[in-house]
Amino acid sequence: MSFAKIYTRGLLGLHAPQIEVEVHVSQGLPSLTIVGLPEAAVRESKDRVRSAIINSGFQFPTKRLTINLAPADLPKDGSRLDLPIALGILIASGQLPEHAGAGLEFIGELALDGHLRPVSGILSIAIACQQAGHRLILPLQNADEAAQLPDFKVFPANHLKAVCEHLSQNVAINVHSTSNSQIRHAYHFDLSDVKGQLRPRRALEIAAAGGHSLLFRGPPGTGKTLLASRLASILPPLNMEENLEVASIYSIAGSQHHFGQRPFRAPHHTASAIALVGGGSNPKPGEITLAHLGVLFLDELPEFDRKVLEVLRQPLESKEIVISRASRQITFPANFQLIAAMNPCPCGHAFNQDSRCQCSAESIKRYQNRISGPLLDRIDLHIDVPPLAAHELQSTQSAENSTTVRERVITAYQQQMQRQQRPNMALTPTQLEQHSILDTTAQNIMQMAQQRMNLSARAYHRVLRVARTIADLAQSEQINAQHISEALSYRSNMNS
């Protein structure tokens, strides 16, 4: 046979479109041509493939080879096409059975000696492969990652020759499986590490239960970062579908992630806008996508470039980021929970008229104005973190740990799922009106608060969402005056 077709996958954002590798061997001067928008790494594969085939004990055809990567209008990048190209050449030249690749897809980079090297994005590829009803042959180092997908047959190999032996039905490759024991729910940090700070702890619990954004404000050393880093430990657990979605993002980014844990990302304040939202000539996920279904913590918020912070405004509402390029448009998910921390002034001590602060009123105002009003308006909870007294630091009384707080958070979260199939922060205005039933006193409080605090329509709805979460934590179906008052208290100091 002089023609072969092998199936593999490309990567386009979080999606893995199918690619057909068509190989034709014909008479003519020895040459190898790859068509179908191959980028540099794909064009260079012909040299890797040639050496790998020869070093695996096979003959490289001394004829005219034409390799087409279909669909032709989809750019092909990366080295993951090495293995399917090599197998296509071996089948087209008659060195492997004609229908050897039936029902299979192949992924892997080839070393010159024929060994298979791991590639990125394997989980997205495995998910697409499973949806197509195909099995997957891939490098051994990628096997554990792909096997996280339930009921999916993964065949790992460490050499081109092992793959050929399997296709020739000489030595079969065993199906790889991994146990769910790899799922980790435990976190290194615990909320019991935080002493005192009852009001900030309460705000953190509300944020966890309803998925709300949160801003800590206070002088240096009061525990703002300590509190923020404990949020992930009290969030509700991810289900299997959400775990796979998070793992797919990290697989494409080539970063490590503990399967079963919510992401916690804390970029430095020198990060660029592209580092936050993602991008590049071949768009990759940014920090807001890596924080998907987890926490994005921005410490020293005013120290970030204002233009960088402004790129967060749209994803905070839409929960996704669209990256446009001349040849394509890619959408990355960005359903993250924003937690931020800041000092009240450049020196950090302009809190409760601290005498140590030497900053002028103008410099304090200029410092705080680095954060725009529209961004602050999108943050649900604004909470002051005051300095701790000596007796609070020396107290031996143990605070509630993450497990105890998490149980309350999960109870409130499950109540939201049963009532509206989404967390409170994701309620639309129509849904909010339907599920936020206020008693007469609460309605009067909200009317007065909107007039006195000059709440925007967005801020009004955010207060209601927070109040709905507070009521859920209290196991109350109706929102009363106490719930509304507490929700309003988390916005009353945003301009102070």
Side-chain angles (χ1 to χ4, degrees):
M1 183 183 181
S2 60
F3 177 80
K5 182 184 290 186
I6 294 289
Y7 293 100
T8 184
R9 295 276 164 181
L11 283 176
L12 192 62
L14 294 185
H15 304 289
Q18 189 176 74
I19 294 175
E20 297 179 3
V21 179
E22 299 175 325
V23 181
H24 181 226
V25 180
S26 60
Q27 297 297 328
L29 293 174
S31 64
L32 194 157
T33 304
I34 300 178
V35 297
L37 286 184
E39 296 188 359
V42 181
R43 292 195 300 270
E44 292 171 353
S45 67
K46 57 187 178 182
D47 296 313
R48 293 192 298 270
V49 166
R50 179 184 287 107
S51 296
I53 287 176
I54 294 172
N55 289 323
S56 298
F58 296 96
Q59 295 294 322
F60 190 84
T62 54
K63 296 183 179 180
R64 180 182 177 85
L65 296 176
T66 304
I67 299 172
N68 179 43
L69 307 176
D73 59 345
L74 176 70
K76 320 299 188 306
D77 66 319
S79 56
R80 68 184 68 87
L81 302 182
D82 288 3
L83 178 60
I85 288 175
L87 294 174
I89 292 173
L90 292 175
I91 293 173
S93 61
Q95 299 179 70
L96 286 178
E98 181 177 343
H99 301 292
L104 290 168
E105 294 190 18
F106 305 87
I107 290 289
E109 176 185 335
L110 286 172
L112 297 184
D113 61 357
H115 278 90
L116 287 175
R117 289 176 174 156
V119 296
S120 62
I122 202 67
L123 195 53
S124 294
I125 291 168
I127 292 171
C129 193
Q130 184 186 47
Q131 292 172 347
H134 293 166
R135 295 163 293 166
L136 181 63
I137 292 183
L138 76 175
L140 185 62
Q141 294 94 323
N142 289 130
D144 284 342
E145 186 180 345
Q148 293 171 351
L149 198 59
D151 305 319
F152 180 58
K153 290 186 177 180
V154 175
F155 297 87
N158 62 358
H159 200 280
L160 173 61
K161 190 169 184 179
V163 178
C164 295
E165 292 287 345
H166 177 79
L167 298 180
S168 301
Q169 299 183 349
N170 294 330
V171 180
I173 299 174
N174 295 324
V175 177
H176 184 81
S177 62
T178 185
S179 65
N180 289 333
S181 61
Q182 289 186 337
I183 297 180
R184 303 182 184 181
H185 297 300
Y187 292 85
H188 297 299
F189 305 119
D190 196 275
L191 199 56
S192 61
D193 299 332
V194 181
K195 292 191 176 184
Q197 305 295 11
L198 297 182
R199 185 167 162 79
R201 284 173 63 104
R202 169 67 173 169
L204 200 68
E205 182 176 340
I206 294 169
H212 305 289
S213 50
L214 172 63
L215 172 64
F216 287 126
R217 191 182 70 167
T222 55
K224 302 185 296 295
T225 303
L226 191 71
L227 282 159
S229 63
R230 269 65 182 167
L231 176 60
S233 68
I234 62 173
L235 289 173
L238 298 170
N239 58 37
M240 180 55 73
E241 183 180 348
E242 291 171 333
N243 270 316
L244 290 173
E245 189 174 0
V246 172
S248 295
I249 293 170
Y250 278 79
S251 177
I252 287 170
S255 301
Q256 275 197 331
H257 170 70
H258 295 308
F259 194 78
Q261 290 189 357
R262 286 186 181 266
F264 181 88
R265 305 294 299 185
H268 193 262
H269 62 258
T270 56
S272 65
I274 291 178
L276 277 187
V277 303
S281 56
N282 180 30
K284 294 291 184 182
E287 290 291 340
I288 63 174
T289 299
L290 293 172
H292 179 62
L293 298 177
V295 179
L296 177 68
F297 176 48
L298 302 183
D299 201 1
E300 306 295 347
L301 188 65
E303 299 299 334
F304 281 82
D305 187 275
R306 181 162 179 155
K307 292 181 180 178
V308 172
L309 291 179
E310 293 308 294
V311 303
L312 295 174
R313 285 162 54 176
Q314 184 263 341
L316 276 171
E317 297 286 346
S318 66
K319 304 302 179 184
E320 64 180 20
I321 184 71
V322 180
I323 299 175
S324 298
R325 294 292 179 266
S327 60
R328 58 192 131 170
Q329 189 178 73
I330 294 176
T331 301
F332 287 121
N335 185 9
F336 60 93
Q337 192 166 351
L338 176 64
I339 306 296
M342 63 175 288
N343 296 324
C345 69
C347 78
H349 297 295
F351 190 87
N352 289 344
Q353 298 179 342
D354 192 324
S355 60
R356 290 177 294 176
C357 180
Q358 301 298 319
C359 302
S360 65
E362 184 181 347
S363 66
I364 293 175
K365 184 178 180 180
R366 186 166 54 247
Y367 180 78
Q368 294 181 350
N369 283 344
R370 293 180 185 178
I371 309 167
S372 69
L375 179 60
L376 283 175
D377 201 42
R378 286 171 166 83
I379 299 179
D380 301 324
L381 304 165
H382 301 249
I383 186 73
D384 286 336
V385 185
L388 290 174
H391 71 273
E392 292 179 291
L393 291 171
Q394 295 168 0
S395 173
T396 57
Q397 183 179 359
S398 59
E400 280 188 316
N401 59 27
S402 292
T403 303
T404 303
V405 177
R406 194 185 197 204
E407 288 174 359
R408 293 198 298 267
V409 167
I410 291 174
T411 300
Y413 181 79
Q414 289 174 343
Q415 190 172 340
Q416 297 165 43
M417 293 296 107
Q418 292 171 3
R419 183 179 60 237
Q420 65 219 19
Q421 292 77 51
R422 63 184 63 194
N424 290 330
M425 64 88 184
L427 288 173
T428 64
T430 303
Q431 293 169 329
L432 191 60
E433 184 178 345
Q434 178 184 353
H435 298 297
S436 298
I437 305 170
L438 279 66
D439 61 23
T440 305
T441 308
Q443 290 178 8
N444 293 334
I445 291 174
M446 278 301 293
Q447 289 174 3
M448 288 188 295
Q450 188 174 22
Q451 294 173 357
R452 293 181 181 179
M453 298 171 64
N454 196 23
L455 296 176
S456 66
R458 179 191 292 117
Y460 177 87
H461 288 136
R462 287 184 179 274
V463 169
L464 281 182
R465 292 189 185 101
V466 172
R468 177 68 269 171
T469 301
I470 294 171
D472 289 335
L473 285 168
Q475 298 295 295
S476 172
E477 197 58 39
Q478 190 175 50
I479 300 175
N480 60 36
Q482 182 181 355
H483 305 145
I484 285 290
S485 298
E486 185 178 358
L488 286 167
S489 72
Y490 296 122
R491 294 193 76 88
S492 61
N493 63 350
M494 63 179 289
N495 294 319
S496 60

